[in-house]
Amino acid sequence: MKRAAVTTNRVPASARAPLASMTGFARVAGSHGSWRFGWEVRSVNGKGLHLRLRLPPGFEVLEADVRTRTGQVLTRGSVSASLAASREGETGTVRVNQGALEALYRTVSESARRLGAPAPTLDALVAVKGMVEIAEADESEEERRALMSAVLSAFDRALAELGTMRAREGEALNSILSERLDAIAALLVRAERLPERGVEAIKARIAEQVRVLMEAATLDPDRLHQEAVLAVTKADVREELDRLGAHIAAARDLLHTGGPAGRRLDFLAQEFNREANTLCSKSNS
């Protein structure tokens, strides 16, 4: 049987992307004027790209831009991004709903008088929702746009750090997988050279088995010949060795090409297992 030819679609070096992991973490802090903010971005394995986003009140306008920028940098992974922001050095404006407070005071006081209960206190009334509002210091539209731009720039830096961490882990995985492939390839060479795989060794072993059977019982020569041919066929592991060699070449090509390779490597791992099991079950050594 001829050795199966292995063909791979090579990607130009300029178009190759390094093998990357899907797990990583990044934290980036920034400031703009009186604002202090920080991003935390983390990712784990995922079948596709899924982003869970947490933004504080007033920053919801950033969601579309954040999702777009994430898709431009990452292709797979379950990603969580959260923004924390606070304003320092400037006090907000306190507004009291005077009319509602007075109306509530009169109503509650009248009810307390009829029931013989103590009159209401102001601290209890202002605790009612809607009686007091604290508004942030006013910002111009230009200042607001500048703040959002600074926050998005910080997010870009966080994405870059996340990508760097994923790339470093990808390099480590590439090294580990390459070592495993080298070990499999070395075992494949040893299997190729085993004396037990030689035709003469197989013939001698089968001849010995036939001699033992003939001494034990009288057998039909034609049936015995058929069984011998079948035994020789089962002893041939040429196809399994060829397939393992092809899988090694395909896996190395994936590692060399880089980019999204997890699913294809997972498929090849199953094929490695299948061929190795068949090889071991047919082995004469």
Side-chain angles (χ1 to χ4, degrees):
M1 181 181 296
K2 294 183 178 180
R3 181 178 294 274
V6 179
T7 59
T8 56
N9 297 322
R10 294 287 181 179
V11 177
S14 59
R16 291 177 190 140
L19 191 68
S21 169
M22 281 190 284
T23 60
F25 174 82
R27 180 186 289 118
V28 169
S31 63
H32 180 79
S34 61
W35 284 94
R36 301 292 180 269
F37 50 82
W39 283 101
E40 277 195 5
V41 185
R42 63 186 70 209
S43 68
V44 295
N45 293 348
K47 291 183 178 180
L49 178 61
H50 176 64
L51 173 64
R52 292 188 297 273
L53 183 60
R54 294 180 60 185
L55 297 171
F59 290 83
E60 297 86 349
V61 68
L62 296 177
E63 180 171 354
D65 284 330
V66 167
R67 293 189 179 278
T68 298
R69 293 173 187 229
T70 302
Q72 291 172 344
V73 175
L74 307 177
T75 56
R76 290 185 64 192
S78 180
V79 183
S80 299
S82 61
L83 171 66
S86 61
R87 200 171 189 182
E88 300 177 353
E90 294 188 22
T91 59
T93 303
V94 179
R95 299 189 182 98
V96 178
N97 192 334
Q98 196 67 38
L101 180 61
E102 292 177 359
L104 180 61
Y105 179 80
R106 288 193 296 270
T107 301
V108 175
S109 297
E110 180 63 25
S111 298
R113 186 184 59 79
R114 290 198 306 268
L115 296 172
T121 59
L122 284 178
D123 58 345
L125 295 180
V126 297
V128 176
K129 185 177 180 179
M131 291 298 167
V132 178
E133 296 179 358
I134 301 177
E136 296 287 347
D138 292 336
E139 286 180 313
S140 68
E141 187 63 29
E142 183 178 353
E143 290 174 334
R144 192 68 180 169
R145 284 197 300 267
L147 171 62
M148 296 305 166
S149 178
V151 173
L152 286 175
S153 295
F155 182 71
D156 288 339
R157 296 197 302 273
L159 277 181
E161 287 190 13
L162 180 71
T164 299
M165 183 174 181
R166 286 168 49 133
R168 282 200 301 265
E169 187 169 338
E171 291 175 0
L173 290 173
N174 194 323
S175 177
I176 293 171
L177 292 175
S178 295
E179 291 177 1
R180 299 294 187 270
L181 290 173
D182 289 343
I184 295 173
L187 290 172
L188 192 62
V189 171
R190 289 177 57 188
E192 290 270 11
R193 297 174 179 174
L194 284 174
E196 293 88 343
R197 288 198 60 245
V199 175
E200 295 302 322
I202 295 175
K203 288 171 61 177
R205 185 167 54 255
I206 293 177
E208 176 63 19
Q209 293 173 350
V210 170
R211 186 189 66 77
V212 173
L213 287 173
M214 294 294 290
E215 291 178 355
T218 301
L219 300 175
D220 178 36
D222 291 336
R223 177 60 183 276
L224 192 59
H225 177 74
Q226 294 175 2
E227 293 296 330
V229 172
L230 182 61
V232 172
T233 302
K234 288 183 176 181
D236 183 15
V237 293
R238 175 75 273 152
E239 182 176 355
E240 286 73 20
L241 294 176
D242 287 343
R243 288 181 181 276
L244 278 171
H247 296 334
I248 291 172
R252 281 175 170 165
D253 190 65
L254 280 176
L255 295 181
H256 178 71
T257 302
R263 292 180 180 177
R264 286 172 289 176
L265 286 173
D266 180 60
F267 168 76
L268 283 175
Q270 297 178 45
E271 293 302 305
F272 273 119
N273 188 57
R274 188 197 317 278
E275 299 303 332
N277 281 335
T278 305
L279 179 64
C280 290
S281 66
K282 295 171 66 174
S283 174
N284 297 308
S285 173

